[in-house]
Amino acid sequence: MYKIFFIAVLTCILSTLALSAFSFTLQADTISFDDIEFTDIQEDTIVEDEPAVQQQGNSKLHSSEIQQTEKDELSLWQTFINGLLFGFAAILMPCIFPMLPLTVSFFTKRAGSRAKAIGQAIIYGLSIIVIYVGLGMLVTIFFGSDALNALSTNGIFNFFFFLLLVVFAASFLGAFEITLPSSFVNKIDAKSDQGGLVGIFFMAFSLALVSFSCTGPLIGTLLVDAASKGDRLGPAVGMFGFSLALAIPFALFALFPSLLKSLPKSGGWLNSVKVILGFLELAFALKFLSNVDLAYHWNWLDREVFLAIWIAIFTLMSLYLLGIIRFAHDSEIKYLSVPRTFFAIIVFSFVVYLIPGMWGAPLKSVSAFLPPSATQDFDLSASVSVPASSPNNADIKKKYAEIFHDRGTPKGFDPFYDYDQALEVAKQINKPVLIDFTGWNCVNCRKMEANVWTEPKVKELLNNEFVMAELFVDDKTALPQEDQYVSTYSNKKINSIGKKWSDFQAAKFNSNSQPLYVIVDGDGSVLVPPQGANYDPENYITFLESGIAAYKNRQ
């Protein structure tokens, strides 16, 4: 009965992990790459030479600043929760789970009294937290906050992260084990024989080292995810969540030793946990490859290609759960347990859910993780066209449209991709401009487009009441030589389209996160406070209607 409970909990954790590793990324996953150098796309650029940019004032941005602060705080909380999930998954790994009763029994016998045993187990748990948080701090100290942001936005490192996660996945699937040098592990283990607090600390250190073959890929994935957000506290916060989840069981079972009897016996199911995590690592790795593919226009991972690989990965996972395929270290499955069957049903249902996406289904629950819908080659919804009354259908050759329209813009919309051109048209037809600061790899942008922009009322307002300007802040297309310049704010050269709009966003709107929606009049004056991601269509409708009303009041 307890084994069923544990595997049921595992089902929830792993299902959540499959999505949380992406959905907890509230900051845009924009990437930058300048001649194999670290470059800060969003923090160190302010547009200098664009004529429409220079003349603008800005008086309604306080709420945008508050939103940015709230997003940063929320992102850290989500990194912490992500760490907890990875930590709870690590507990069920074959390198750690068998250690629970052994370690708690060791404390109980060595301490001589229950109170002392509890105290030593708590110290042991705190030592685990200190060790892993120290690892997170080392990552921050070694790279620094600026370099972390550069890592999160750099093409080479996004590709490196992809390869790293594939290696981790191969390790979990049984191709090899990632271990630390045995001499180093033995030296640390010898120090754990010392008495007192030092001995307990080195016992915890020994656990961290001995279990590295199981926890290493999880820790690496968590650190990659935290670093990809560019927050200097991210790695430490993620490691705190991870270590807290590891420490809780040791303290809990020391408080209530009788619970040890309820633990399921170690066995082949522990290796199954590793294999399942290996499949999830593979699915996670594709996001980093997609980041590079989109920003550099490689056109490898269109939406249907991405989905096809995911369908293959999760189909193999469901077949594995059913015992149809096995790996080298798996024990024979004589019969299917009920929890394993339920988990297989969940995974296979997810596969069935993904399949319609091959023909253009929006797949709203996972749309944030997928490449933009515009990259879909075959889409049954493509017949939906922009209304003829849309102001964006004016007979004007749109600047940069050949770069963005067919692969970046959601179907059914026809925005401009140059701010000055959008302002010019807005003056001619007497309508406000909706600026959409977006990115090829912006997770929340995709979610807004799939869940909010598809609402009929929202779509009608965007197409009929606004001139839309979609500005990609992470595009790597080089600007013509005559349009390149050096920013007086950062003293860095602005030589790509992405840098140009990233500069503009930071300079005028004091924001570096995407999406950011700003409504301005034909002169570029802000009409209502800008707004970021909010997945409530009614909220977005209210935002759009308030901009329309403010524009009319100025006429």
Side-chain angles (χ1 to χ4, degrees), residues 41 47 50 78 80 119 121 149 278 326 397 401-402 419 450 524 536:
I41 283 182
V47 163
E50 289 300 312
Q78 291 172 327
F80 170 74
N149 186 66
R326 286 192 300 165
K397 183 178 180 180
E402 68 279 4
Y419 176 67
D536 178 12

Side-chain angles (χ1 to χ4, degrees), residues 301-371:
L301 285 178
D302 288 351
R303 186 172 183 266
E304 64 267 35
V305 176
F306 191 102
L307 280 171
I309 298 174
W310 263 28
I311 289 171
I313 290 172
F314 287 103
T315 298
L316 287 173
M317 185 193 293
S318 62
L319 293 177
Y320 174 80
L321 288 167
L322 293 173
I324 297 175
I325 60 175
R326 286 192 300 165
F327 291 91
H329 302 292
D330 286 319
S331 55
E332 183 180 358
I333 300 176
K334 297 181 179 179
Y335 61 89
L336 284 179
S337 64
V338 174
R340 194 170 183 128
T341 303
F342 283 168
F343 197 13
I345 291 173
I346 293 172
V347 176
F348 194 71
S349 297
F350 182 62
V351 171
V352 174
Y353 171 77
L354 292 177
I355 291 175
M358 298 291 291
W359 292 273
L363 305 181
K364 291 185 178 182
S365 65
V366 294
S367 59
F369 317 143
L370 305 177

Side-chain angles (χ1 to χ4, degrees), residues 102-246:
L102 294 176
T103 305
V104 174
S105 298
F106 173 80
F107 284 133
T108 303
K109 293 177 181 179
R110 189 174 89 165
S113 67
R114 184 169 182 269
K116 195 173 180 180
I118 292 173
Q120 290 184 351
I122 292 175
I123 294 172
Y124 183 78
L126 290 176
S127 298
I128 292 175
I129 294 175
V130 169
I131 290 166
Y132 283 105
V133 171
L135 174 62
M137 292 300 297
L138 283 176
V139 171
T140 300
I141 294 171
F142 180 76
F143 289 108
S145 58
D146 291 338
L148 275 180
N149 186 66
L151 286 177
S152 71
T153 60
N154 188 274
I156 281 184
F157 280 92
N158 271 270
F159 192 73
F160 172 75
F161 290 158
F162 160 72
L163 294 177
L164 187 66
L165 294 183
V166 171
V167 170
F168 289 159
S171 174
F172 274 156
L173 294 175
F176 49 81
E177 284 195 350
I178 302 174
T179 59
L180 295 172
S182 58
S183 58
F184 176 65
V185 175
N186 292 335
K187 287 180 181 179
I188 297 298
D189 185 55
K191 293 184 178 181
S192 65
D193 294 333
Q194 302 178 23
L197 298 179
V198 174
I200 295 175
F201 175 82
F202 279 103
M203 277 190 65
F205 204 173
S206 296
L207 174 70
L209 298 179
V210 171
S211 63
F212 188 79
S213 62
C214 292
T215 60
L218 287 176
I219 293 170
T221 303
L222 180 60
L223 288 175
V224 165
D225 181 53
S228 70
K229 300 177 183 179
D231 195 307
R232 62 182 177 180
L233 293 178
V237 171
M239 285 293 96
F240 175 66
F242 182 87
S243 58
L244 181 62
L246 279 183

Side-chain angles (χ1 to χ4, degrees), residues 3 7 92-95 97-98 263-274 320 329-333 340:
K3 184 173 180 178
I7 298 181
L92 301 176
M93 301 294 278
C95 302
F97 188 80
L263 286 177
K265 294 182 179 180
S266 301
W269 68 275
L270 290 174
N271 190 68
S272 297
V273 174
K274 286 182 64 176
Y320 174 80
H329 302 292
D330 286 319
S331 55
E332 183 180 358
I333 300 176
R340 194 170 183 128

Side-chain angles (χ1 to χ4, degrees), residues 44-51 53-54 400 420 479-505 507:
D44 55 22
T45 50
I46 305 297
V47 163
E48 165 198 6
D49 292 350
E50 289 300 312
V53 174
Q54 286 182 320
Y400 306 135
D420 293 323
L479 289 168
Q481 192 64 38
E482 61 273 16
D483 292 338
Q484 297 182 15
Y485 59 93
V486 176
S487 171
T488 55
Y489 182 86
S490 64
N491 293 322
K492 292 192 175 182
K493 191 171 185 178
I494 307 303
N495 55 9
S496 70
I497 293 175
K499 283 186 175 182
K500 175 181 178 180
W501 301 130
S502 177
D503 284 355
F504 177 33
Q505 182 184 1

Side-chain angles (χ1 to χ4, degrees), residues 243-450:
S243 58
L244 181 62
L246 279 183
I248 286 174
F250 291 99
L252 182 65
F253 287 120
L255 286 170
F256 307 102
S258 60
L259 291 178
L260 289 172
K261 298 178 182 179
S262 64
L263 286 177
K265 294 182 179 180
S266 301
W269 68 275
L270 290 174
N271 190 68
S272 297
V273 174
K274 286 182 64 176
V275 173
I276 292 171
L277 287 173
F279 283 120
L280 294 179
E281 293 268 9
L282 277 178
F284 188 21
L286 279 182
K287 178 59 181 172
F288 289 95
L289 181 60
S290 177
N291 287 350
V292 185
D293 174 71
L294 287 167
Y296 290 95
H297 308 291
W298 292 348
N299 301 340
W300 291 353
L301 285 178
D302 288 351
R303 186 172 183 266
E304 64 267 35
V305 176
F306 191 102
L307 280 171
I309 298 174
W310 263 28
I311 289 171
I313 290 172
F314 287 103
T315 298
L316 287 173
M317 185 193 293
S318 62
L319 293 177
Y320 174 80
L321 288 167
L322 293 173
I324 297 175
I325 60 175
R326 286 192 300 165
F327 291 91
H329 302 292
D330 286 319
S331 55
E332 183 180 358
I333 300 176
K334 297 181 179 179
Y335 61 89
L336 284 179
S337 64
V338 174
R340 194 170 183 128
T341 303
F342 283 168
F343 197 13
I345 291 173
I346 293 172
V347 176
F348 194 71
S349 297
F350 182 62
V351 171
V352 174
Y353 171 77
L354 292 177
I355 291 175
M358 298 291 291
W359 292 273
L363 305 181
K364 291 185 178 182
S365 65
V366 294
S367 59
F369 317 143
L370 305 177
S373 60
T375 64
Q376 184 97 19
D377 291 329
F378 181 69
D379 190 345
L380 293 179
S381 66
S383 58
V384 180
S385 60
V386 180
S389 59
S390 171
N392 297 342
N393 278 334
D395 187 18
I396 298 175
K397 183 178 180 180
K398 295 180 173 62
K399 193 173 182 180
Y400 306 135
E402 68 279 4
I403 301 172
F404 302 108
H405 188 271
D406 291 339
R407 292 187 61 81
T409 301
K411 291 179 172 62
F413 297 94
D414 192 20
F416 291 86
Y417 305 99
D418 181 76
Y419 176 67
D420 293 323
Q421 192 177 37
L423 289 185
E424 181 182 344
V425 173
K427 289 180 181 179
Q428 294 174 2
I429 64 176
N430 195 30
K431 288 187 177 180
V433 177
L434 175 75
I435 308 171
D436 170 25
F437 288 102
T438 185
W440 290 110
N441 311 305
C442 173
V443 170
N444 292 327
C445 302
R446 301 293 86 76
K447 190 172 181 180
M448 284 291 295
E449 292 162 3

